[in-house]
Amino acid sequence: QDNKVSVWSVGDTGNAGLSGEYQGEPQLLCDIKHNGDVMDMQFLDQERIVVASSTGTVTVFRHHQNNQTLSASQRWEKAHYHVDQDTACGGAACTGVICNNPEIVTVGEDGRINLFRADQKDAVRTIDNADSSTLHAVTFLRTVEILTVNSIGQLKLWDFRQQRNEPSQILSLTGDRVPLHCVDRHPNQQHIVATGGQDGMLSIWDIRQGTMPVSLLNAHEAEMWEVHFHPSNPDHLFTCSEDGSLWHWDTSTEVSEKPSFLHQGGRSTTYFSHNTINQSVVSAWLSNDPTKDRMEITNLIPNQTLSVNSLDILGPCLVYGTDAEAIYVNRQLFA
């Protein structure tokens, strides 16, 4: 019932012992009350964090590093709402937020898209009926373009330069209308996008071609909650699921020369090959030669049973949170 946003210090990688275990406990630096469930959050800059609430409100919290406190520096009340903003219970959950300072884009259960600026009280742009179903996640494609995924299996591209409130492109999973929960864009090749959804499948899309995924990969046995390309090493991708697994997908080519640490601890490694359409630029994710295209997949937490709800990644560090009410930091991704 009572929720908080908390800032933790997990120390420096320099303090890691020989085994790579971090020496010393993580420290809670500060926290602040938050109304509603925290649906999503993202750093806007070094000290500001944008938080999406199940009440439909979007709050920017400032972390004051000099005295380790958090304060709300800006709040957009009921940025998402079902009937109208003024009714007491009218709020609709804000399901996703993405930042590209000073711009903040939010999506919600009401099918609405908001574009905010950190220094402005009113929304810069609102697309009211962007979707007739729930929008589950959003990411920037380029500075003026965003991608959203919805609960009927569609990936939509929006261009804020266009005044009309229509997507500039719609791509969709064929057939089943499986709800999509997460989306991420390849950091270097912006036409490559990964999504995951209710059936646990990983879909890779090339938004330059066609309206269907380039490849569908069997992944988790339940909902996929989050998908992330490694920001500086995008041959590596990470997905986590309701089924308690967190997968590391590795498409870097020298699979045979991989150190054997991947095989320890009962971790299973599976090779997948998938057919794709002919590509002009061959990325490992869009490879057109299935025999070369061997992908190594490792479950980083083999015996976990509770849902892995969220993950993020930077350098050799992976952080993830589970239904065990715990946050884990793995500092040895590429040991």
Side-chain angles (χ1 to χ4, degrees):
Q1 299 303 307
D2 298 324
N3 296 312
K4 289 183 177 141
V5 171
S6 311
V7 178
W8 293 79
S9 160
V10 290
D12 210 7
T13 28
N15 304 13
L18 288 174
S19 62
E21 289 305 304
Y22 170 64
Q23 307 296 305
E25 289 294 303
Q27 273 189 308
L28 175 63
L29 298 179
C30 50
D31 56 25
I32 192 168
K33 227 173 105 72
H34 180 269
N35 289 331
D37 296 345
V38 174
M39 304 296 286
D40 197 7
M41 58 179 165
Q42 240 211 349
F43 277 99
L44 177 67
D45 54 27
Q46 288 293 314
E47 29 184 59
R48 287 180 296 177
I49 307 152
V50 183
V51 182
S53 169
S54 59
T55 64
T57 294
V58 177
T59 311
V60 183
F61 291 105
R62 188 180 288 276
H63 176 212
H64 306 274
Q65 293 172 10
N66 51 356
N67 60 358
Q68 291 306 344
T69 56
L70 276 166
S71 65
S73 65
Q74 179 125 10
R75 186 173 275 131
W76 293 285
E77 295 283 349
K78 291 203 185 135
H80 294 273
Y81 53 91
H82 280 307
V83 194
D84 61 79
Q85 261 169 315
D86 306 323
T87 52
C89 56
C94 175
T95 49
V97 55
I98 191 83
C99 305
N100 185 10
N101 195 7
E103 298 189 316
I104 299 163
V105 177
T106 70
V107 296
E109 272 180 11
D110 52 358
R112 195 174 264 106
I113 299 173
N114 291 306
L115 170 62
F116 295 111
R117 270 222 178 79
D119 45 8
Q120 291 181 21
K121 272 223 136 354
D122 296 320
V124 179
R125 175 95 185 264
T126 294
I127 303 177
D128 269 333
N129 298 311
D131 216 296
S132 54
S133 66
T134 296
L135 289 170
H136 283 139
V138 58
T139 192
F140 274 100
L141 185 64
R142 299 181 185 83
T143 359
V144 289
E145 290 179 297
I146 59 162
L147 287 164
T148 59
V149 291
N150 69 13
S151 59
I152 54 170
Q154 292 173 323
L155 173 65
K156 294 185 182 181
L157 177 69
W158 304 83
D159 186 336
F160 283 131
R161 290 165 303 192
Q162 297 182 356
Q163 281 318 298
R164 53 198 191 87
N165 293 342
E166 300 288 325
S168 49
Q169 204 175 334
I170 299 179
L171 301 94
S172 60
L173 295 172
T174 48
D176 297 341
R177 293 182 168 264
V178 175
L180 290 172
H181 291 305
C182 51
V183 56
D184 197 29
R185 181 208 80 200
H186 191 291
N188 316 335
Q189 295 181 281
Q190 296 179 327
H191 53 277
I192 302 175
V193 174
T195 64
Q198 193 166 327
D199 57 1
M201 297 276 275
L202 172 65
S203 310
I204 305 291
W205 312 71
D206 180 347
I207 57 172
R208 300 169 307 182
Q209 5 187 307
T211 57
M212 294 180 328
V214 176
S215 52
L216 286 169
L217 298 164
N218 274 315
H220 303 279
E221 286 165 20
E223 291 90 346
M224 185 189 294
W225 291 130
E226 193 108 57
V227 57
H228 276 297
F229 285 101
H230 190 288
S232 52
N233 198 345
D235 284 348
H236 298 266
L237 177 111
F238 297 83
T239 59
C240 65
S241 165
E242 180 71 29
D243 67 9
S245 58
L246 194 164
W247 284 19
H248 173 185
W249 306 70
D250 179 0
T251 62
S252 52
T253 43
E254 60 295 335
V255 165
S256 54
E257 299 156 29
K258 276 278 143 45
S260 61
F261 79 92
L262 282 171
H263 306 283
Q264 292 165 8
R267 297 172 176 178
S268 61
T269 301
T270 328
Y271 293 102
F272 277 106
S273 64
H274 54 276
N275 293 300
T276 54
I277 320 158
N278 231 358
Q279 300 300 333
S280 46
V281 178
V282 175
S283 151
W285 293 106
L286 303 178
S287 165
N288 55 2
D289 179 353
T291 52
K292 281 203 312 221
D293 184 30
R294 305 190 81 192
M295 197 181 298
E296 192 165 27
I297 294 155
T298 313
N299 182 7
L300 297 179
I301 38 176
N303 305 319
Q304 159 80 7
T305 50
L306 295 168
S307 175
V308 183
N309 301 320
S310 189
L311 72 93
D312 206 355
I313 179 162
L314 190 64
C317 266
L318 169 75
V319 58
Y320 58 94
T322 76
D323 268 0
E325 297 190 16
I327 298 165
Y328 299 86
V329 182
N330 173 346
R331 301 174 174 280
Q332 285 204 301
L333 274 184
F334 306 115

